[in-house]
């Protein structure tokens, strides 16, 4: 198909109106033999056939018109689109500097006002009020604006350029020299390829709505509500909003008939993310909750209670948790997490803001685990936005029975989204990947409302672990121990009170500890505190020296019960520095090295541990000091207990060797509060290898 060329009438024969109409016409020559084998490529060439009035006096007075006929684009240049503009395009700049106000009095003036943005951008770029310089620079900006418009709002052109069948380039024709300066591709072309716009804004009807949602409106399903949000965001992107404000009658209807929002949105307080604007919504459309970081941390009672009111009393069938890019709260929490990770002690929050950031560091920690150790701070902060959205969704599902019930019955959906500050587009994430699991939760109110521990340590369906919870695999249980010890060592424990419901669950449903710990009786090593756990988390055995010597029946029988009847999958043997029992056994070994009968039970205990000191001396040599021997003996004693369990309990041995149960060792440092993780003894490792 070939576009018809225009034949120019004589200049004198044209009326001013005809001159302008013809001067602003875009002539396209499209040569195409699409979908044929002979010529599969598309050639698209364009030139602006334009004339601008160059006033020699003031605008609106007697002016001269100049006709410029740009040369045809050479047909030998395949697969290119050229946009050409002319250096005489100064009228928009003059209108801009004239600061014209009020409504346009003619189509021409309206056109010039539409181009004022180009002049404004040119003046801003140059930082100059020189009308000639700004006008010249505005020509280039106008070309780039047109190229951007084509890529952003034409799916056909966009697809052709992406496929490589067409190139979109810019150029400026110089009337004085006759030369064309080629500008190349648009600098943002790759970004514009991501546009979702199919048509220009002017092709969308934008009629203002005549009604608002009230209790007399039809109910809106979650799927319909999502579509309404997506369409509203699309209008926002196009710059064609419908929600221009409510009329007096609309406001009266909202007062007299009440609200019936189709969605509840939990968003961020950031002033750049106004929820109603982003979704082009009217009063009565959206029930909005906003705080820094769109989180339930430190505001769970307010957020959860408000949402229960919205979905219960107002009938909304969709809850949307929406984060946004470049979130200041998430960026701050990421920095706090990284600083806290590298420090020995955690400073307690000195203000509410620091408390909020500390509360969000778990989000950054989870994001870091998902991305791996090589993630940069920027990557971590970006991914944390998404992780935080799902954290908030999971919190709602875990701690609100009304929300859970509605979701389980299919009467409510809880979904996530991220608003992109740069593009204005909302990306919908869907429901939480953990939704099915969380619908089994037995928690009725958020922990802050119940005065209980922070949500991060409430592990089970009831907030505490019971047989209704699935067994934790050894790596997951060990991860919890490591995280809890880190919190304890930094003086930031999260486990505290449990409420009456949790205690009742432990009493009525039973226990399901994730780890069995054999530790020392030393009062300085309170295991539940060391690992920042709640009742129901740990099955604890303690004696002087964390040993099986002289208590093998009790220790073995108890551990067999734990991994059998309670289905625990991890056994931890934990020694500690400056252990009195180990130091006593070392001293006794060095002083006597005797094999006589002990005089009392304590003597028998120390004698039973003396072989550990003997092994330590064999490893370190006879020149080792008593303190060095005692320190080494602490580690060897952990391994000795581990080996004993493997060899002397058929139940424990079979489960460990089959991989069902894991044996781990550690040493708690009384000075730092940190646990050094030893892994498995060499003997256990050999047995596992077969």
């Amino acid at each position: 198909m070939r576009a018809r060329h225009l034949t120019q009438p004589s200049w004198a024969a044209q009326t001013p109106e005809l001159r302008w109409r013809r001067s602003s016409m875009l002539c396209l020559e499209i040569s195409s033999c699409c979908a044929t084998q002979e010529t599969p490529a598309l050639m698209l060439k364009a030139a602006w056939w334009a004339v601008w009035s160059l006033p020699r006096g003031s605008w609106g007075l007697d002016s001269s018109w100049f006709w410029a006929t740009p040369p045809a684009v050479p047909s030998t240049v395949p697969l290119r689109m050229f946009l050409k503009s002319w250096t005489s395009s100064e009228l928009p700049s003059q209108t801009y500097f004239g600061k014209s106000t009020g409504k346009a009095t003619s189509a021409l003036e309206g056109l010039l006002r539409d181009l004022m943005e180009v002049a404004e951008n040119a003046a801003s770029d140059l930082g100059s009020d020189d009308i000639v310089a700004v006008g010249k620079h505005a020509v280039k900006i106008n070309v780039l604006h047109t190229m951007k418009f084509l890529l952003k709002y034409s799916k056909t052109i966009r697809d052709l350029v992406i496929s490589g069948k067409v190139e979109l380039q810019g150029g400026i024709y110089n009337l004085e020299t006759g030369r064309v300066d080629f500008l190349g591709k648009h600098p943002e072309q790759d970004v514009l390829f991501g546009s979702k716009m199919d048509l220009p804004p002017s092709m969308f009807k934008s009629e203002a709505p005549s009604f608002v949602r009230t209790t007399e409106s039809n109910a809106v399903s979650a799927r319909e509500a999502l579509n309404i949000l997506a369409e509203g965001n699309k209008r926002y992107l196009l710059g064609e909003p419908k929600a221009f404000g409510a009329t007096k009658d609309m406001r009266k209807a909202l007062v007299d008939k009440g609200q019936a929002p189709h969605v509840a949105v939990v968003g961020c307080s950031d002033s750049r993310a106004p929820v109603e604007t982003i979704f082009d919504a009217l009063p009565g459309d959206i029930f909005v909750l906003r705080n820094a970081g769109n989180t339930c941390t430190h505001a769970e009672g307010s957020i959860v209670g408000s949402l229960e009111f919205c979905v219960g009393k107002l009938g909304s069938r969709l809850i949307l948790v929406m984060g946004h890019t470049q979130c200041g709260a998430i960026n701050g929490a990421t920095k706090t997490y990284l600083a806290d990770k590298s420090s020995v002690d955690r400073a307690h929050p000195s203000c509410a803001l620091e408390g909020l950031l500390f509360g969000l560091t778990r989000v950054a920690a989870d994001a870091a685990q998902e991305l791996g150790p090589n993630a940069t701070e920027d990557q971590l902060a970006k991914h944390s936005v998404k992780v935080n959205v799902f954290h908030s969704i999971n919190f709602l599902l875990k701690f609100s029975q009304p929300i859970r019930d509605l979701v389980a019955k299919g009467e409510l959906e809880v979904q996530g989204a991220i608003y992109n500050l740069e593009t204005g587009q909302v990306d919908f994430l869907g429901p939480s990947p953990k939704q099915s699991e969380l619908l089994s939760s037995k928690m009725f109110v958020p922990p802050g409302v119940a005065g209980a521990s922070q949500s991060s340590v409430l592990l089970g369906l009831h907030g505490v672990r019971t047989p209704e919870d699935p067994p934790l695999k050894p790596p997951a249980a060990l991860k919890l121990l490591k995280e809890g010890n880190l919190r304890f060592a930094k003086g930031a424990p999260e486990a505290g009170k449990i409420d009456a419901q949790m205690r009742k669950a432990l009493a009525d449903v039973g226990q399901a500890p994730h780890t069995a710990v054999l530790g020392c009786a030393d009062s300085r090593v309170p295991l539940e505190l060391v690992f920042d756990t709640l009742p129901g988390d740990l099955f604890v055995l303690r004696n002087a020296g964390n040993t099986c010597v002289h208590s093998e029946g009790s220790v073995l029988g108890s551990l067999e019960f734990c991994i059998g009847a309670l289905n625990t999958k991890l056994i931890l043997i934990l020694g500690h520095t400056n252990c009195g029992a180990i130091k006593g056994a070392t001293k006794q070994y060095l002083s006597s090295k005797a094999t006589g009968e002990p005089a009392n039970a304590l003597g028998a205990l120390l004698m039973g541990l003396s072989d550990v000191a003997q092994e330590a001396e064999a490893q370190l040599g006879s020149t080792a000091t008593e303190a060095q021997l005692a320190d080494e003996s602490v580690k060897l004693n952990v391994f000795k207990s581990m080996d004993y369990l493997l060899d002397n309990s058929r139940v424990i041995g079979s489960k460990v060797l089959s991989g069902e149960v894991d044996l781990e060792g550690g040493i708690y440092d009384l000075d730092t509060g940190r646990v050094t993780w030893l892994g498995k003894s060499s003997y256990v490792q050999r047995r596992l290898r077969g």
Side-chain angles (χ1 to χ4, degrees):
M1 170 178 122
R2 187 175 298 274
R4 181 168 56 86
H5 288 276
L6 297 178
T7 302
Q8 303 302 320
S10 67
W11 181 258
Q14 294 184 34
T15 64
E17 181 181 359
L18 180 59
R19 292 172 189 167
W20 177 257
R21 187 171 68 250
R22 293 201 178 278
S23 72
S24 61
M25 185 174 296
L26 173 66
C27 295
L28 292 174
E29 180 183 55
I30 304 176
S31 300
S32 172
C33 295
C34 297
T36 66
Q37 295 181 348
E38 292 81 3
T39 314
L42 169 68
M43 180 183 295
L44 180 58
K45 300 176 294 182
W48 287 104
W49 204 319
V51 169
W52 291 102
S53 170
L54 300 181
R56 298 181 180 177
S58 60
W59 173 252
L61 301 178
D62 184 23
S63 303
S64 298
W65 292 77
F66 292 84
W67 185 267
T69 306
V73 178
S75 60
T76 56
V77 182
L79 312 182
R80 291 185 181 273
M81 176 188 294
F82 292 96
L83 294 175
K84 296 184 178 180
S85 188
W86 288 267
T87 54
S88 57
S89 306
E90 295 177 4
L91 283 182
S93 300
Q94 291 194 345
T95 305
Y96 165 67
F97 285 113
K99 306 296 182 184
S100 179
T101 59
K103 294 183 178 181
T105 58
S106 66
L108 172 58
E109 187 177 345
L111 173 64
L112 297 180
R113 291 194 179 187
D114 286 342
L115 288 170
M116 280 181 62
E117 181 183 354
V118 172
E120 290 173 349
N121 289 343
S124 177
D125 283 355
L126 297 178
S128 169
D129 287 341
D130 186 296
I131 187 171
V132 175
V134 171
K136 183 176 180 180
H137 187 53
V139 173
K140 178 179 178 180
I141 290 181
N142 189 46
V143 171
L144 295 176
H145 272 218
T146 304
M147 295 170 70
K148 182 175 183 179
F149 188 94
L150 293 175
L151 288 172
K152 186 173 183 179
Y153 294 114
S154 172
K155 185 177 186 301
T156 301
I157 294 176
R158 201 163 55 239
D159 289 346
L160 288 169
V161 176
I162 291 173
S163 69
K165 294 180 179 179
V166 169
E167 284 189 15
L168 176 60
Q169 299 204 10
I172 299 175
Y173 173 65
N174 192 306
L175 287 177
E176 296 177 356
T177 65
R179 297 291 300 273
V180 174
D181 295 326
F182 295 97
L183 304 179
K185 301 176 183 178
H186 195 284
E188 299 176 6
Q189 176 170 287
D190 290 342
V191 176
L192 292 168
F193 284 163
S195 173
K196 305 298 182 183
M197 302 297 106
D198 298 335
L199 296 170
S202 60
M203 301 186 73
F204 284 88
K205 292 184 178 180
S206 183
E207 298 177 358
S210 58
F211 66 92
V212 289
R213 283 193 56 78
T214 69
T215 52
E216 294 184 352
S217 304
N218 294 330
V220 174
S221 69
R223 187 57 47 194
E224 291 172 322
L226 270 177
N227 289 336
I228 292 172
L229 293 177
E231 289 300 317
N233 180 240
K234 190 172 184 178
R235 293 192 301 273
Y236 170 71
L237 283 172
L238 290 169
E240 291 288 321
K242 290 183 179 179
F244 299 113
T247 65
K248 181 178 180 180
D249 290 340
M250 292 178 182
R251 292 192 297 270
K252 188 175 190 306
L254 288 172
V255 173
D256 295 344
K257 299 172 184 177
Q259 63 173 318
H262 59 74
V263 61
V265 176
V266 180
C268 183
S269 299
D270 196 303
S271 62
R272 300 167 294 177
V275 173
E276 289 89 350
T277 304
I278 290 168
F279 293 116
D280 188 30
L282 282 170
D285 284 346
I286 303 179
F287 189 87
V288 179
L289 300 156
R290 294 174 67 179
N291 60 39
N294 45 275
T295 178
C296 296
T297 305
H298 300 294
E300 60 264 31
S302 171
I303 297 292
V304 178
S306 299
L307 290 173
E308 288 179 353
F309 168 75
C310 184
V311 301
K313 300 297 184 182
L314 304 182
S316 300
R317 292 297 170 255
L318 175 66
I319 295 174
L320 186 73
V321 178
M322 186 173 71
H324 67 89
T325 59
Q326 304 296 328
C327 179
I330 296 298
N331 290 344
T334 302
K335 291 182 182 295
T336 301
Y337 162 73
L338 293 174
D340 187 48
K341 183 180 177 182
S342 61
S343 67
V344 177
D345 298 313
R346 172 187 283 185
H348 289 283
S350 59
C351 62
L353 173 59
E354 289 184 2
L356 172 66
L357 297 182
F358 279 133
L360 286 170
T361 54
R362 177 166 292 274
V363 170
D366 288 351
Q369 184 177 358
E370 292 181 11
L371 294 180
N374 297 324
T376 64
E377 181 178 328
D378 288 343
Q379 291 171 331
L380 197 57
K382 182 177 180 180
H383 188 54
S384 293
V385 171
K386 180 178 180 180
V387 172
N388 185 50
V389 167
F390 286 128
H391 264 230
S392 294
I393 293 176
N394 295 343
F395 189 98
L396 297 175
L397 293 173
K398 185 170 185 176
F399 295 110
S400 173
Q401 186 69 49
I403 290 176
R404 277 197 308 272
D405 288 345
L406 289 170
V407 172
K409 290 187 291 186
E411 298 177 4
L412 173 68
E413 291 187 19
V414 185
Q415 300 204 20
I418 296 176
Y419 170 63
N420 192 308
L421 289 182
E422 296 84 353
T423 66
Q425 184 166 327
V426 174
D427 294 321
F428 295 94
L429 305 178
S432 167
K434 296 183 177 180
Q435 176 172 295
S436 297
E437 171 190 339
L438 292 166
L439 290 180
S440 301
S441 174
K442 306 295 183 182
M443 302 296 292
F444 293 95
V445 294
V449 176
S453 305
Q454 294 188 32
S455 61
S456 58
V457 295
L458 303 180
L459 302 177
L461 299 177
H462 296 273
V464 287
R465 286 191 55 78
T466 71
E468 293 183 356
D469 301 304
L472 278 184
K473 293 182 178 180
L478 188 61
K479 178 175 179 288
L480 290 175
L481 294 178
K482 290 180 177 181
E483 290 176 348
N485 177 244
L486 182 61
R487 293 193 300 270
F488 169 77
K490 292 195 172 185
E494 296 178 359
K497 296 184 294 182
I498 64 172
D499 60 28
Q501 277 186 340
M502 298 178 192
R503 290 193 296 272
K504 182 173 175 55
L506 288 173
D508 295 347
V509 185
Q511 62 173 318
H514 59 72
T515 303
V517 183
L518 173 58
C520 185
D522 195 304
S523 63
R524 298 168 294 178
V525 193
L527 295 179
E528 285 83 1
L529 298 182
V530 167
F531 294 112
D532 192 29
T533 59
L534 287 174
D537 288 343
L538 303 181
F539 187 89
V540 175
L541 298 100
R542 295 175 65 176
N543 60 44
N546 45 276
T547 178
C548 297
V549 178
H550 301 294
S551 61
E552 61 269 23
S554 171
V555 171
L556 292 180
S558 299
L559 290 176
E560 288 178 358
F561 167 76
C562 186
I563 65 174
L566 303 182
N567 213 12
T568 300
K569 302 301 182 185
L570 176 64
I571 298 174
L572 174 67
I573 313 297
L574 186 71
H576 68 91
T577 60
N578 290 305
C579 177
I582 297 297
K583 290 169 72 173
T586 303
K587 184 180 289 293
Q588 179 168 308
Y589 165 74
L590 291 176
S591 62
S592 63
K593 298 186 181 180
T595 58
E597 292 295 323
N600 52 36
L602 174 59
L605 172 65
L606 297 180
M607 182 174 290
L609 290 170
S610 62
D611 60 340
V612 177
Q614 184 177 4
E615 185 180 350
E617 185 180 44
Q619 291 192 10
L620 298 180
S622 58
T623 59
T625 65
E626 181 177 334
Q628 290 172 331
L629 288 177
D631 289 344
E632 183 69 12
S633 294
V634 170
K635 181 176 71 173
L636 295 177
N637 185 50
V638 168
F639 288 147
K640 178 183 177 182
S641 295
M642 191 180 296
D643 297 345
Y644 188 95
L645 294 178
L646 191 66
D647 283 343
N648 292 276
S649 170
R650 182 177 57 83
V651 175
I652 295 174
S654 64
K655 287 182 178 288
V656 170
L657 294 177
S658 69
E660 182 182 347
V661 171
D662 193 14
L663 272 175
E664 295 285 338
I667 298 175
Y668 171 68
D669 191 311
L670 291 179
D671 291 330
T672 66
R674 297 293 296 271
V675 172
T676 300
W677 302 95
L678 303 177
K680 300 172 179 61
S681 70
S682 58
Y683 174 70
V684 172
Q685 293 180 45
R686 287 196 304 272
R687 291 289 303 275
L688 287 172
R689 289 195 298 265

